[in-house]
Amino acid sequence: MEITIKHQTEFTTHIFDVVVPDKLASVEVWAICTEMNVQAILVNGKYYECK
């Protein structure tokens, strides 16, 4: 399934393939944070921090 995340300061849109959009795996969070060059993301109202 795909999710779309918009970067808050750069206003760029990123599309990612994930298994379950409502519960991201730590590997998915790490990959998204790395690609977007951010420390945390908000997906479907849930806060994920890259560790």
Side-chain angles (χ1 to χ4, degrees), residues 10 13 20 25-26 29 43:
E10 296 175 4
T13 302
V20 180
S26 59
V29 173
V43 178

Side-chain angles (χ1 to χ4, degrees), residues 3-48:
I3 59 170
T4 303
I5 303 174
K6 186 174 182 180
H7 197 288
Q8 280 187 317
T9 57
E10 296 175 4
F11 302 108
T12 55
T13 302
H14 302 268
I15 299 172
F16 300 98
D17 286 321
V18 296
V19 178
V20 180
D22 291 329
K23 187 175 181 187
L24 298 180
S26 59
V27 172
E28 294 171 328
V29 173
W30 180 84
I32 293 169
C33 287
T34 301
E35 185 171 325
M36 292 183 68
N37 196 28
V38 296
Q39 294 293 320
I41 55 175
L42 187 65
V43 178
N44 293 337
K46 293 185 182 176
Y47 178 82
Y48 297 94

